[in-house]
Amino acid sequence: ESIYSVRNVSRRYGELAALDDVSLEIRRGDWVSIVGPSGSGKSTLMNILGCMDSPTEGIVLLEGERLDKMGEPELATVRRQKIGLVFQQFHLVQHLTAVENVMLAQYYHSIPDEKEAMAALDRVGMADRATHLPRELSGGEQQRVCVARALINHPDVILADEPTGNLDEVNERIVIDFFHTLHDAGTTLIVVTHDAEVAAQGGRQIILEHGRIAREAADVASTPTK
Ligand code: ADP
Ligand code: ADP
């Protein structure tokens, strides 16, 4: 069963096709790595999958719903209900503490629950920093709070753009292990990364070049069993 169906999608900026006739099926529970050189369209694809941008041509379905037909308010609802985003541009709210930032994401979805928010921070090794403001945290610590925030609502799909970009080896391991736990629980993961080790965690690697899917590689070792 496909969670995402992307059919003949293009995203044009004037003459430039940031995405050029891309078709892609992503099954529920897949772990897909998106790789490719700078400017190949990775962020454009993630923004469309993440309900932050719309294609100029083609069809995008998420769980059978036409994202390409939706305007911003509808897209925002889908984003909050179904998708966990770990995007660098999706900053923490500066005047709220780490735990409050996680609870804000809960608020948009259901009812904030401090115990749950603390548990999520604990999963990424940030429980002891819960009452700190973002500016009191290092880049890597903020990144881990963003991971906790993205996961708090148990989204069907996690979209992560360079989720380990700011992290040292120890914290990269924490995040990768957490992704494995989520994947084992059935969450769909779509991860843009330049890190070959992170990319290899996924069962599929989609290689983008010039806005097109140049090829796809399967990593047999970590192909999901269910
Ligand atoms: P990647 O994430 O792989 O580095 P992007 O998706 O950011 O690639 O960009 C793909 C192409 O689209 C690039 O040539 C980029 O310059 C262009 N592009 C992206 N966003 C815009 C925009 N808002 N306006 C004009 N061109 C853009
Ligand atoms: P804005 O009001 O700036 O448009 P939103 O209302 O969409 O932002 O989101 C409120 C807060 O929740 C922001 O801090 C944002 O970063 C975060 N957020 C929103 N959607 C998601 C998501 N799908 N995953 C993770 N964080 C999100």
Side-chain angles (χ1 to χ4, degrees):
E1 184 206 0
S2 286
I3 184 160
Y4 278 107
S5 292
V6 175
R7 299 183 189 152
N8 304 105
V9 160
S10 297
R11 175 64 169 102
R12 292 181 201 284
Y13 295 102
E15 293 288 288
L16 177 92
L19 283 181
D20 185 6
D21 197 21
V22 166
S23 295
L24 174 66
E25 298 290 323
I26 295 175
R27 281 165 303 154
R28 194 177 292 280
D30 271 357
W31 182 336
V32 180
S33 304
I34 312 268
V35 301
S38 179
S40 59
K42 303 182 298 292
S43 301
T44 304
L45 177 60
M46 293 295 271
N47 286 338
I48 289 172
L49 298 177
C51 296
M52 313 224 282
D53 189 19
S54 297
T56 47
E57 284 149 68
I59 293 173
V60 184
L61 295 156
L62 169 57
E63 296 179 332
E65 283 193 282
R66 287 283 294 269
L67 299 184
D68 57 284
K69 294 274 197 196
M70 291 181 189
E72 172 50 30
E74 275 181 289
L75 287 173
T77 302
V78 174
R79 188 168 68 228
R80 288 173 191 156
Q81 297 288 329
K82 297 192 173 178
I83 301 172
L85 296 166
V86 186
F87 279 25
Q88 247 142 53
Q89 73 266 30
F90 232 169
H91 299 295
L92 299 170
V93 177
Q94 291 302 311
H95 65 272
L96 298 179
T97 65
V99 69
E100 286 166 351
N101 266 281
V102 176
M103 290 169 71
L104 178 64
Q106 289 180 304
Y107 168 78
Y108 280 117
H109 190 269
S110 51
I111 300 164
D113 177 336
E114 187 166 0
K115 273 209 181 96
E116 255 185 62
M118 285 300 298
L121 286 172
D122 193 37
R123 298 284 292 275
V124 292
M126 287 296 295
D128 60 341
R129 297 279 197 289
T131 58
H132 289 240
L133 292 168
R135 68 165 185 280
E136 299 166 342
L137 301 171
S138 72
E141 289 170 340
Q142 292 186 39
Q143 184 88 331
R144 284 183 283 149
V145 177
C146 289
V147 171
R149 179 181 66 182
L151 304 168
I152 190 66
N153 295 323
H154 309 284
D156 296 349
V157 47
I158 304 277
L159 299 178
D161 195 349
E162 297 290 355
T164 58
N166 280 328
L167 301 182
D168 61 24
E169 245 169 80
V170 172
N171 288 311
E172 173 170 324
R173 201 64 242 171
I174 290 173
V175 169
I176 289 176
D177 287 347
F178 196 7
F179 281 7
H180 275 289
T181 305
L182 292 161
H183 181 239
D184 291 345
T187 308
T188 307
L189 294 172
I190 306 174
V191 182
V192 167
T193 182
H194 280 105
D195 183 322
E197 196 196 328
V198 175
Q201 307 294 318
R204 296 169 70 188
Q205 288 191 41
I206 309 265
I207 297 103
L208 284 180
E209 278 171 21
H210 305 295
R212 290 175 160 264
I213 296 177
R215 64 201 157 83
E216 177 166 344
D219 182 350
V220 177
S222 53
T223 298
T225 49
K226 34 180 183 325

